[in-house]
Amino acid sequence: MKGVDRFLIPRPRGELRYRCILCEGAFPLDRFLYTCPLCGGLLRIEDLRFEELKEVSPEGWREVFDRRRFLGVEVLKGIFLFHELILPTVPLEDVIYLGEGHTPMVRANEELSQWVGVPFLLKYDGLNPSLSFKDRGMASAVSFINYMIRHKGLEEVLGICASTGDTSAAAALYLSYLPKERVRSVVLLPEGRVTPAQLSQPLGSGATVIEVPGVFDDCMKIVEELAERYEVCLLNSKNPLRIQGQKSYSYEVAQQLGWDTRSLVVVVPIGNAGNVTAIMEGFLDLYRLGLIEELPTVLGVQSEHANPLVLWRRTGQYRPVKVRPSVAQAAMIGNPVSFPKVAQLVEQHYGDRFVVVEVSESEIMEGMLMANRHGHVVCTQGGEAVAGLRKALAEGLLRPEGRFVVKSTAHHLKFAGFQQMYFEDAFPPEYGIRPKDELKNRPVKLPASAQEIARFLGLKPKG
Ligand SMILES: *Cc1c(COP(=O)(O)O)cnc(C)c1O
Ligand SMILES: [Zn+2]
């Protein structure tokens, strides 16, 4: 075999450990851990043999990752194309692939680019199987559960998560692929705070759906307590197995840009901050291996109604906030669990390359509606990201040079109710949204008559 051929099909390798981000304690990956047993800090997953990957040159790895796309090996069609960087100890035969990853990047047209202020690309993570990027992290976490069942004698698992809607859809979907006699799936939702489409998803996948009063942060506290005191597998992004899979977003962005990330800005909405953590860690992996020359700038976007990271960047002090209703409901989180990871990544690696901007609820809706009126299918959180890019440029937080990739985190249809409320001027006052007439659209009722419809449209007769 010549060159990199022997690396094309990944084999189990590496040595994975949980590593505490505070006390650096290391723990074997033979059980589910979410916080450090010594000090309570958050955990990362670290490959003690990461340096061995440098045995292959950066050009070699680029070739391997590029060629894997065309091998026709099913499990390499998803996030495990980047097996070495996700969970390299898990054999391919244990990988669960349900169609996630490799989402398209679509160029914004001239009109939309002008409205935003720069040409940009939208990466559609709403085209994952459960219609959000959460599938990336579930593919890794649930593949690991499968591996523990098949190879490590794990007999029973109860997977549980708190959710603003999309985590539960993804968890329920991926867990439903595993054997029912071994695996149960339970989701906790804040009652009335997920959309009907999102509620239908875990129900359809057969999960036990528990609705509790309050907001996401309240649900999160409960599942954290359950995970601490009972034998359950927590599937929120506090579980570092989730972060491993979500890093694939960065690998794909780099690959889709031909591994050239110079002057790149990636734009993401921030809720619980697992997403932005994974994105920063993902680019860092590539940077360490020499696959990219430069870390990108990361622009995080938050609503005025759920803005703890905005306040942290502004004041230097982190404090949880009490959230108010937001159309970017999937990011409506006042005390992001992964904040300590973000703070550390910024301090140690990203510095001024991490920028946060705040947008109003009206700006989020306008960002979404404008994107969708110009050929896109973007959710409210994607709209938040589009609006955030526009605002950061207008406020001079970013210079209009370089390349811009905006993440649309879920599918528009999960959040279509907010569009409906906008078109019907039906937002309760707490949202603070005053719809603009020119962005509204309503169906028109006309008689079933070609003539009437032609008259309404002002059509000119032929000839
Ligand atoms: C979960 C989610 C977010 C926020 O991601 P975090 O990792 O919680 O910061 C944004 N948009 C959508 C659609 C989501 O489902
Ligand atoms: Zn610790």
Side-chain angles (χ1 to χ4, degrees), residues 250-285:
S250 303
Y251 309 150
E252 288 176 23
V253 169
Q255 185 171 42
Q256 284 167 312
L257 295 174
W259 306 103
D260 180 4
T261 59
R262 286 170 300 172
S263 314
L264 173 65
V265 179
V266 294
V267 187
V268 290
I270 299 181
N272 220 8
N275 184 27
V276 71
T277 295
I279 288 173
M280 287 199 279
E281 287 188 357
F283 283 113
L284 206 54
D285 288 343

Side-chain angles (χ1 to χ4, degrees), residues 202-377:
L203 289 172
S205 296
T208 302
V209 177
I210 300 172
E211 293 186 298
V212 301
V215 294
F216 169 83
D217 298 284
D218 302 302
C219 295
M220 191 65 216
K221 270 196 216 119
I222 298 171
V223 294
E224 281 178 322
E225 190 177 333
L226 290 171
E228 213 161 281
R229 299 175 47 184
Y230 301 89
E231 289 291 335
V232 299
C233 176
L234 178 70
L235 283 170
N236 283 93
S237 55
K238 190 172 184 178
N239 184 337
L241 293 163
R242 284 266 319 274
I243 303 291
Q244 288 307 98
Q246 287 180 197
K247 294 191 298 182
S248 61
Y249 180 83
S250 303
Y251 309 150
E252 288 176 23
V253 169
Q255 185 171 42
Q256 284 167 312
L257 295 174
W259 306 103
D260 180 4
T261 59
R262 286 170 300 172
S263 314
L264 173 65
V265 179
V266 294
V267 187
V268 290
I270 299 181
N272 220 8
N275 184 27
V276 71
T277 295
I279 288 173
M280 287 199 279
E281 287 188 357
F283 283 113
L284 206 54
D285 288 343
L286 300 181
Y287 184 66
R288 286 183 169 141
L289 287 177
L291 267 81
I292 58 171
E293 275 177 43
E294 213 178 274
L295 289 175
T297 294
V298 176
L299 174 67
V301 189
Q302 292 203 304
S303 161
E304 286 170 353
H305 288 188
N307 60 356
L309 270 84
V310 173
L311 299 179
W312 168 60
R313 280 310 248 182
R314 199 178 285 159
T315 64
Q317 305 245 310
Y318 175 76
R319 224 175 286 135
V321 303
K322 198 168 176 314
V323 294
R324 289 178 281 156
S326 173
V327 293
Q329 194 165 265
M332 204 180 107
I333 295 174
N335 189 14
V337 163
S338 291
F339 169 74
K341 288 185 171 173
V342 175
Q344 193 175 74
L345 282 160
V346 171
E347 190 189 300
Q348 295 181 350
H349 302 286
Y350 280 81
D352 292 340
R353 287 177 191 257
F354 181 71
V355 181
V356 186
V357 69
E358 178 177 63
V359 291
S360 72
E361 289 294 309
S362 291
E363 285 168 330
I364 296 173
M365 286 305 295
E366 287 161 27
M368 178 185 84
L369 295 169
M370 284 297 286
N372 293 352
R373 284 183 163 221
H374 290 90
H376 302 284
V377 188

Side-chain angles (χ1 to χ4, degrees), residues 19-27 35-43:
R19 172 82 71 188
C20 173
I21 70 162
L22 293 182
C23 76
E24 305 259 303
F27 313 94
T35 50
C36 174
L38 302 177
C39 80
L42 292 177
L43 300 170

Side-chain angles (χ1 to χ4, degrees), residues 357-358 390-398:
V357 69
E358 178 177 63
R390 181 172 191 248
K391 189 121 177 215
L393 291 162
E395 290 185 347
L397 294 173
L398 292 178

Side-chain angles (χ1 to χ4, degrees), residues 405-460:
V405 174
V406 176
K407 180 167 184 170
S408 180
T409 45
H411 198 285
H412 171 68
L413 289 182
K414 289 201 191 209
F415 299 91
F418 291 120
Q419 173 182 290
Q420 187 80 358
M421 281 157 88
Y422 193 96
F423 292 167
E424 293 174 356
D425 230 328
F427 276 109
E430 311 86 87
Y431 284 89
I433 292 177
R434 221 172 293 134
K436 288 183 172 160
D437 283 338
E438 68 270 24
L439 287 177
K440 288 184 189 166
N441 201 4
R442 300 288 296 276
V444 182
K445 286 197 200 309
L446 288 174
S449 143
Q451 260 184 350
E452 293 277 356
I453 292 172
R455 178 143 20 119
F456 172 79
L457 295 173
L459 299 183
K460 287 197 201 90

